[in-house]
Amino acid sequence: MNKTAIIYSFNTKKTGKVAALIQEAYSKDVIEIVNAEELTEELFLSFDHIIMGVATWFDGELPNFWDEFVPALEELDLTGKKIALFGLGDQKGYPENFLDGVGIMGEILEAQGAALVGFTSSEGYEFESSRALRNDQFMGLAIDYENQGSMNTERVAAWVEQLKKEFA
Ligand SMILES: Cc1cc2nc3c(=O)[nH]c(=O)nc-3n(C[C@H](O)[C@H](O)[C@H](O)COP(=O)(O)O)c2cc1C
């Protein structure tokens, strides 16, 4: 059976809440939860399907703990791995860099051979630019706790249904 993980930093509150929603919407017994701050290359490679929580910090950058794992990621062969990204961002506060972290991480993973899944429509969001956009779609799930928090549960539920198909 395929092994699926949700990887996020246990020190991030909002990302952690979204991870819990994803875990609830998924069947709990097929998901492993991993702390990004204790991640090793070996553990990363042990999963067939990976859901990564990547917020955007510092005006369009990755959170520190992901940034620190990038050199390790750039040494890995991720051919055949299906990876889905969920990102947190603030479209009103940072309209020029909305969700950039997802784009940065997505590009790194693809360069290592990973197949990204879980792209979503950018309709219903208002921002100026985002590195996470590809052909009008986000390269993952876009969660905006600050401005559209009431949509989180609905967005996660639809995304998890999509993932169940795309991870199959
Ligand atoms: C200092 C700071 C910088 C931020 N920069 C961005 C940004 O460039 N783009 C964006 O979309 N969101 C940005 N955000 C919003 C966060 O991504 C958002 O608050 C998110 O929910 C944080 O999740 P976390 O607390 O789980 O890390 C920033 C937030 C802070 C506090």
Side-chain angles (χ1 to χ4, degrees):
M1 203 178 101
N2 283 319
K3 275 178 74 185
T4 304
I6 304 180
I7 309 178
Y8 68 96
S9 161
F10 288 9
N11 285 320
T12 52
K13 283 212 179 106
K14 291 176 192 155
T15 306
K17 283 186 184 165
V18 178
L21 287 178
I22 294 170
Q23 194 191 7
E24 264 169 48
Y26 231 96
S27 152
K28 276 194 183 169
D29 48 336
V30 298
I31 290 262
E32 271 188 55
I33 304 294
V34 174
N35 187 353
E37 303 197 28
E38 289 169 11
L39 190 57
T40 61
E41 292 94 311
E42 200 185 8
L43 186 59
F44 194 84
L45 288 175
S46 72
F47 299 105
D48 307 289
H49 301 156
I50 301 171
I51 300 168
M52 289 166 70
V54 184
T56 302
W57 288 6
F58 315 116
D59 292 342
E61 291 177 43
L62 289 175
N64 311 49
F65 54 89
W66 277 131
D67 209 31
E68 283 159 20
F69 196 63
V70 166
L73 275 177
E74 287 176 336
E75 296 292 321
L76 298 182
D77 178 4
L78 300 179
T79 310
K81 296 252 178 258
K82 285 190 178 176
I83 302 183
L85 300 172
F86 68 95
L88 284 84
D90 173 350
Q91 62 198 293
K92 280 198 185 147
Y94 302 88
E96 289 170 5
N97 304 94
F98 181 53
L99 219 76
D100 277 7
V102 163
I104 296 168
M105 184 56 87
E107 286 167 22
I108 292 166
L109 296 169
E110 281 186 332
Q112 300 312 116
L116 293 185
V117 299
F119 285 26
T120 60
S121 169
S122 58
E123 270 177 44
Y125 301 81
E126 268 184 55
F127 56 93
E128 283 163 38
S129 64
S130 171
R131 204 162 153 185
L133 274 188
R134 181 172 293 164
N135 304 328
D136 288 339
Q137 282 199 310
F138 291 121
M139 296 159 72
L141 173 66
I143 293 290
D144 184 338
Y145 237 106
E146 280 77 12
N147 307 296
Q148 298 179 330
S150 63
M151 297 172 83
N152 291 354
T153 308
E154 191 186 318
R155 282 177 170 163
V156 165
W159 194 59
V160 166
E161 287 314 304
Q162 181 183 340
L163 290 190
K164 283 178 182 168
K165 291 185 199 127
E166 294 186 21
F167 272 155

